PDB file of all heavy atoms in Angstrom:
ATOM      1  N   VAL I1361     -15.129   7.084  -9.810  1.00 98.00           N
ATOM      2  CA  VAL I1361     -14.393   7.979  -8.910  1.00 98.00           C
ATOM      3  C   VAL I1361     -13.799   7.185  -7.747  1.00 98.00           C
ATOM      4  O   VAL I1361     -12.620   7.355  -7.384  1.00 98.00           O
ATOM      5  CB  VAL I1361     -15.315   9.105  -8.392  1.00 98.00           C
ATOM      6  CG1 VAL I1361     -14.673   9.813  -7.202  1.00 98.00           C
ATOM      7  CG2 VAL I1361     -15.623  10.091  -9.508  1.00 98.00           C
ATOM      8  N   THR I1362     -14.602   6.312  -7.160  1.00 98.00           N
ATOM      9  CA  THR I1362     -14.120   5.497  -6.041  1.00 98.00           C
ATOM     10  C   THR I1362     -12.901   4.674  -6.439  1.00 98.00           C
ATOM     11  O   THR I1362     -11.914   4.587  -5.689  1.00 98.00           O
ATOM     12  CB  THR I1362     -15.235   4.564  -5.544  1.00 98.00           C
ATOM     13  OG1 THR I1362     -16.362   5.348  -5.151  1.00 98.00           O
ATOM     14  CG2 THR I1362     -14.761   3.717  -4.379  1.00 98.00           C
ATOM     15  N   ALA I1363     -12.964   4.070  -7.618  1.00 98.00           N
ATOM     16  CA  ALA I1363     -11.853   3.225  -8.072  1.00 98.00           C
ATOM     17  C   ALA I1363     -10.620   4.062  -8.403  1.00 98.00           C
ATOM     18  O   ALA I1363      -9.490   3.683  -8.061  1.00 98.00           O
ATOM     19  CB  ALA I1363     -12.280   2.405  -9.279  1.00 98.00           C
ATOM     20  N   TYR I1364     -10.817   5.204  -9.062  1.00 98.00           N
ATOM     21  CA  TYR I1364      -9.668   6.080  -9.360  1.00 98.00           C
ATOM     22  C   TYR I1364      -9.011   6.573  -8.066  1.00 98.00           C
ATOM     23  O   TYR I1364      -7.783   6.684  -7.976  1.00 98.00           O
ATOM     24  CB  TYR I1364     -10.105   7.270 -10.208  1.00 98.00           C
ATOM     25  CG  TYR I1364     -10.245   6.973 -11.675  1.00 98.00           C
ATOM     26  CD1 TYR I1364     -11.423   7.301 -12.370  1.00 98.00           C
ATOM     27  CD2 TYR I1364      -9.201   6.405 -12.396  1.00 98.00           C
ATOM     28  CE1 TYR I1364     -11.556   7.045 -13.726  1.00 98.00           C
ATOM     29  CE2 TYR I1364      -9.330   6.141 -13.762  1.00 98.00           C
ATOM     30  CZ  TYR I1364     -10.506   6.463 -14.421  1.00 98.00           C
ATOM     31  OH  TYR I1364     -10.631   6.215 -15.772  1.00 98.00           O
ATOM     32  N   GLU I1365      -9.836   6.884  -7.084  1.00 98.00           N
ATOM     33  CA  GLU I1365      -9.278   7.325  -5.794  1.00 98.00           C
ATOM     34  C   GLU I1365      -8.443   6.222  -5.150  1.00 98.00           C
ATOM     35  O   GLU I1365      -7.412   6.500  -4.513  1.00 98.00           O
ATOM     36  CB  GLU I1365     -10.414   7.765  -4.866  1.00 98.00           C
ATOM     37  CG  GLU I1365     -11.044   9.093  -5.262  1.00 98.00           C
ATOM     38  CD  GLU I1365     -12.235   9.471  -4.401  1.00 98.00           C
ATOM     39  OE1 GLU I1365     -12.806   8.566  -3.735  1.00 98.00           O
ATOM     40  OE2 GLU I1365     -12.613  10.663  -4.390  1.00 98.00           O
ATOM     41  N   GLU I1366      -8.872   5.000  -5.329  1.00 98.00           N
ATOM     42  CA  GLU I1366      -8.109   3.885  -4.760  1.00 98.00           C
ATOM     43  C   GLU I1366      -6.767   3.727  -5.483  1.00 98.00           C
ATOM     44  O   GLU I1366      -5.752   3.421  -4.852  1.00 98.00           O
ATOM     45  CB  GLU I1366      -8.924   2.595  -4.854  1.00 98.00           C
ATOM     46  CG  GLU I1366      -8.341   1.423  -4.093  1.00 98.00           C
ATOM     47  CD  GLU I1366      -8.249   1.656  -2.596  1.00 98.00           C
ATOM     48  OE1 GLU I1366      -9.064   2.445  -2.075  1.00 98.00           O
ATOM     49  OE2 GLU I1366      -7.374   1.043  -1.955  1.00 98.00           O
ATOM     50  N   VAL I1367      -6.775   3.920  -6.802  1.00 98.00           N
ATOM     51  CA  VAL I1367      -5.506   3.890  -7.554  1.00 98.00           C
ATOM     52  C   VAL I1367      -4.538   4.908  -6.972  1.00 98.00           C
ATOM     53  O   VAL I1367      -3.364   4.599  -6.706  1.00 98.00           O
ATOM     54  CB  VAL I1367      -5.733   4.190  -9.048  1.00 98.00           C
ATOM     55  CG1 VAL I1367      -4.388   4.209  -9.782  1.00 98.00           C
ATOM     56  CG2 VAL I1367      -6.663   3.174  -9.684  1.00 98.00           C
ATOM     57  N   LEU I1368      -5.025   6.126  -6.765  1.00 98.00           N
ATOM     58  CA  LEU I1368      -4.165   7.208  -6.288  1.00 98.00           C
ATOM     59  C   LEU I1368      -3.759   7.022  -4.829  1.00 98.00           C
ATOM     60  O   LEU I1368      -2.705   7.517  -4.412  1.00 98.00           O
ATOM     61  CB  LEU I1368      -4.870   8.549  -6.478  1.00 98.00           C
ATOM     62  CG  LEU I1368      -5.061   8.939  -7.957  1.00 98.00           C
ATOM     63  CD1 LEU I1368      -6.006  10.127  -8.084  1.00 98.00           C
ATOM     64  CD2 LEU I1368      -3.717   9.256  -8.600  1.00 98.00           C
ATOM     65  N   ARG I1369      -4.569   6.302  -4.068  1.00 98.00           N
ATOM     66  CA  ARG I1369      -4.158   5.996  -2.704  1.00 98.00           C
ATOM     67  C   ARG I1369      -2.942   5.063  -2.725  1.00 98.00           C
ATOM     68  O   ARG I1369      -2.002   5.220  -1.935  1.00 98.00           O
ATOM     69  CB  ARG I1369      -5.305   5.339  -1.939  1.00 98.00           C
ATOM     70  CG  ARG I1369      -5.014   5.126  -0.456  1.00 98.00           C
ATOM     71  CD  ARG I1369      -6.074   4.279   0.217  1.00 98.00           C
ATOM     72  NE  ARG I1369      -6.077   2.910  -0.290  1.00 98.00           N
ATOM     73  CZ  ARG I1369      -5.201   1.969   0.102  1.00 98.00           C
ATOM     74  NH1 ARG I1369      -4.246   2.268   0.976  1.00 98.00           N
ATOM     75  NH2 ARG I1369      -5.274   0.752  -0.385  1.00 98.00           N
ATOM     76  N   ILE I1370      -2.977   4.091  -3.654  1.00 98.00           N
ATOM     77  CA  ILE I1370      -1.872   3.137  -3.762  1.00 98.00           C
ATOM     78  C   ILE I1370      -0.664   3.776  -4.443  1.00 98.00           C
ATOM     79  O   ILE I1370       0.478   3.584  -4.024  1.00 98.00           O
ATOM     80  CB  ILE I1370      -2.333   1.882  -4.546  1.00 98.00           C
ATOM     81  CG1 ILE I1370      -3.480   1.182  -3.795  1.00 98.00           C
ATOM     82  CG2 ILE I1370      -1.169   0.917  -4.766  1.00 98.00           C
ATOM     83  CD1 ILE I1370      -4.168   0.112  -4.615  1.00 98.00           C
ATOM     84  N   ASN I1371      -0.942   4.551  -5.499  1.00 98.00           N
ATOM     85  CA  ASN I1371       0.139   5.195  -6.261  1.00 98.00           C
ATOM     86  C   ASN I1371      -0.237   6.644  -6.527  1.00 98.00           C
ATOM     87  O   ASN I1371      -0.869   6.951  -7.539  1.00 98.00           O
ATOM     88  CB  ASN I1371       0.379   4.454  -7.578  1.00 98.00           C
ATOM     89  CG  ASN I1371       1.466   5.098  -8.421  1.00 98.00           C
ATOM     90  OD1 ASN I1371       2.163   6.015  -7.973  1.00 98.00           O
ATOM     91  ND2 ASN I1371       1.623   4.629  -9.661  1.00 98.00           N
ATOM     92  N   PRO I1372       0.155   7.557  -5.657  1.00 97.00           N
ATOM     93  CA  PRO I1372      -0.221   8.972  -5.798  1.00 97.00           C
ATOM     94  C   PRO I1372       0.316   9.626  -7.074  1.00 97.00           C
ATOM     95  O   PRO I1372      -0.184  10.681  -7.465  1.00 97.00           O
ATOM     96  CB  PRO I1372       0.404   9.629  -4.560  1.00 97.00           C
ATOM     97  CG  PRO I1372       0.596   8.520  -3.585  1.00 97.00           C
ATOM     98  CD  PRO I1372       0.908   7.314  -4.408  1.00 97.00           C
ATOM     99  N   ASN I1373       1.281   9.013  -7.724  1.00 97.00           N
ATOM    100  CA  ASN I1373       1.872   9.591  -8.935  1.00 97.00           C
ATOM    101  C   ASN I1373       1.271   9.041 -10.223  1.00 97.00           C
ATOM    102  O   ASN I1373       1.832   9.250 -11.304  1.00 97.00           O
ATOM    103  CB  ASN I1373       3.386   9.341  -8.932  1.00 97.00           C
ATOM    104  CG  ASN I1373       4.073  10.002  -7.750  1.00 97.00           C
ATOM    105  OD1 ASN I1373       3.769  11.139  -7.405  1.00 97.00           O
ATOM    106  ND2 ASN I1373       4.988   9.277  -7.117  1.00 97.00           N
ATOM    107  N   HIS I1374       0.163   8.348 -10.126  1.00 98.00           N
ATOM    108  CA  HIS I1374      -0.468   7.739 -11.303  1.00 98.00           C
ATOM    109  C   HIS I1374      -1.213   8.827 -12.091  1.00 98.00           C
ATOM    110  O   HIS I1374      -2.354   9.170 -11.780  1.00 98.00           O
ATOM    111  CB  HIS I1374      -1.424   6.636 -10.869  1.00 98.00           C
ATOM    112  CG  HIS I1374      -1.757   5.646 -11.941  1.00 98.00           C
ATOM    113  ND1 HIS I1374      -2.379   6.005 -13.114  1.00 98.00           N
ATOM    114  CD2 HIS I1374      -1.539   4.299 -12.014  1.00 98.00           C
ATOM    115  CE1 HIS I1374      -2.567   4.925 -13.861  1.00 98.00           C
ATOM    116  NE2 HIS I1374      -2.062   3.880 -13.218  1.00 98.00           N
ATOM    117  N   GLY I1375      -0.563   9.352 -13.121  1.00 97.00           N
ATOM    118  CA  GLY I1375      -1.131  10.472 -13.867  1.00 97.00           C
ATOM    119  C   GLY I1375      -2.422  10.139 -14.583  1.00 97.00           C
ATOM    120  O   GLY I1375      -3.358  10.957 -14.605  1.00 97.00           O
ATOM    121  N   GLU I1376      -2.510   8.967 -15.189  1.00 98.00           N
ATOM    122  CA  GLU I1376      -3.731   8.589 -15.915  1.00 98.00           C
ATOM    123  C   GLU I1376      -4.916   8.476 -14.966  1.00 98.00           C
ATOM    124  O   GLU I1376      -6.047   8.855 -15.331  1.00 98.00           O
ATOM    125  CB  GLU I1376      -3.512   7.269 -16.653  1.00 98.00           C
ATOM    126  CG  GLU I1376      -2.557   7.356 -17.827  1.00 98.00           C
ATOM    127  CD  GLU I1376      -2.415   6.018 -18.525  1.00 98.00           C
ATOM    128  OE1 GLU I1376      -1.612   5.193 -18.056  1.00 98.00           O
ATOM    129  OE2 GLU I1376      -3.123   5.803 -19.523  1.00 98.00           O
ATOM    130  N   ALA I1377      -4.669   7.970 -13.772  1.00 98.00           N
ATOM    131  CA  ALA I1377      -5.757   7.878 -12.789  1.00 98.00           C
ATOM    132  C   ALA I1377      -6.191   9.264 -12.351  1.00 98.00           C
ATOM    133  O   ALA I1377      -7.392   9.525 -12.162  1.00 98.00           O
ATOM    134  CB  ALA I1377      -5.304   7.059 -11.591  1.00 98.00           C
ATOM    135  N   ARG I1378      -5.256  10.167 -12.208  1.00 97.00           N
ATOM    136  CA  ARG I1378      -5.592  11.550 -11.826  1.00 97.00           C
ATOM    137  C   ARG I1378      -6.461  12.201 -12.905  1.00 97.00           C
ATOM    138  O   ARG I1378      -7.447  12.878 -12.605  1.00 97.00           O
ATOM    139  CB  ARG I1378      -4.322  12.370 -11.586  1.00 97.00           C
ATOM    140  CG  ARG I1378      -4.568  13.685 -10.864  1.00 97.00           C
ATOM    141  CD  ARG I1378      -3.255  14.284 -10.391  1.00 97.00           C
ATOM    142  NE  ARG I1378      -2.580  13.412  -9.429  1.00 97.00           N
ATOM    143  CZ  ARG I1378      -2.935  13.295  -8.167  1.00 97.00           C
ATOM    144  NH1 ARG I1378      -3.961  13.992  -7.685  1.00 97.00           N
ATOM    145  NH2 ARG I1378      -2.262  12.482  -7.352  1.00 97.00           N
ATOM    146  N   ASN I1379      -6.099  11.970 -14.177  1.00 97.00           N
ATOM    147  CA  ASN I1379      -6.911  12.514 -15.278  1.00 97.00           C
ATOM    148  C   ASN I1379      -8.292  11.875 -15.307  1.00 97.00           C
ATOM    149  O   ASN I1379      -9.298  12.570 -15.549  1.00 97.00           O
ATOM    150  CB  ASN I1379      -6.192  12.287 -16.600  1.00 97.00           C
ATOM    151  CG  ASN I1379      -4.912  13.083 -16.732  1.00 97.00           C
ATOM    152  OD1 ASN I1379      -4.746  14.113 -16.077  1.00 97.00           O
ATOM    153  ND2 ASN I1379      -3.999  12.617 -17.571  1.00 97.00           N
ATOM    154  N   GLY I1380      -8.333  10.564 -15.081  1.00 98.00           N
ATOM    155  CA  GLY I1380      -9.616   9.869 -15.065  1.00 98.00           C
ATOM    156  C   GLY I1380     -10.512  10.351 -13.945  1.00 98.00           C
ATOM    157  O   GLY I1380     -11.722  10.501 -14.114  1.00 98.00           O
ATOM    158  N   LEU I1381      -9.907  10.623 -12.801  1.00 97.00           N
ATOM    159  CA  LEU I1381     -10.678  11.135 -11.665  1.00 97.00           C
ATOM    160  C   LEU I1381     -11.263  12.503 -11.989  1.00 97.00           C
ATOM    161  O   LEU I1381     -12.436  12.775 -11.678  1.00 97.00           O
ATOM    162  CB  LEU I1381      -9.768  11.225 -10.441  1.00 97.00           C
ATOM    163  CG  LEU I1381     -10.401  11.775  -9.168  1.00 97.00           C
ATOM    164  CD1 LEU I1381     -11.578  10.912  -8.720  1.00 97.00           C
ATOM    165  CD2 LEU I1381      -9.352  11.869  -8.048  1.00 97.00           C
ATOM    166  N   ALA I1382     -10.484  13.330 -12.651  1.00 97.00           N
ATOM    167  CA  ALA I1382     -10.972  14.651 -13.029  1.00 97.00           C
ATOM    168  C   ALA I1382     -12.138  14.546 -13.996  1.00 97.00           C
ATOM    169  O   ALA I1382     -13.146  15.264 -13.865  1.00 97.00           O
ATOM    170  CB  ALA I1382      -9.839  15.477 -13.635  1.00 97.00           C
ATOM    171  N   ARG I1383     -12.048  13.663 -14.974  1.00 96.00           N
ATOM    172  CA  ARG I1383     -13.139  13.488 -15.941  1.00 96.00           C
ATOM    173  C   ARG I1383     -14.387  12.979 -15.263  1.00 96.00           C
ATOM    174  O   ARG I1383     -15.509  13.454 -15.524  1.00 96.00           O
ATOM    175  CB  ARG I1383     -12.722  12.499 -17.034  1.00 96.00           C
ATOM    176  CG  ARG I1383     -11.678  12.986 -18.009  1.00 96.00           C
ATOM    177  CD  ARG I1383     -11.577  12.031 -19.201  1.00 96.00           C
ATOM    178  NE  ARG I1383     -11.332  10.639 -18.786  1.00 96.00           N
ATOM    179  CZ  ARG I1383     -10.126  10.110 -18.627  1.00 96.00           C
ATOM    180  NH1 ARG I1383      -9.046  10.868 -18.845  1.00 96.00           N
ATOM    181  NH2 ARG I1383      -9.978   8.854 -18.262  1.00 96.00           N
ATOM    182  N   SER I1384     -14.233  11.985 -14.401  1.00 97.00           N
ATOM    183  CA  SER I1384     -15.390  11.327 -13.783  1.00 97.00           C
ATOM    184  C   SER I1384     -16.040  12.163 -12.700  1.00 97.00           C
ATOM    185  O   SER I1384     -17.189  11.895 -12.309  1.00 97.00           O
ATOM    186  CB  SER I1384     -14.959   9.965 -13.197  1.00 97.00           C
ATOM    187  OG  SER I1384     -14.447   9.125 -14.210  1.00 97.00           O
TER     188      SER I1384
END
């Protein structure tokens, strides 16, 4: 979750990271 949140902080439009965050 921490890492996915960092992805989205850098790129808020990263769809795969958003899905990964939801799963995790």
Side-chain angles (χ1 to χ4, degrees):
V1361 166
T1362 302
Y1364 279 128
E1365 287 176 341
E1366 190 62 27
V1367 178
L1368 293 169
R1369 186 189 66 80
I1370 298 169
N1371 179 8
N1373 298 318
H1374 200 299
E1376 290 181 277
R1378 194 167 298 283
N1379 293 336
L1381 179 60
R1383 289 192 306 270
S1384 300

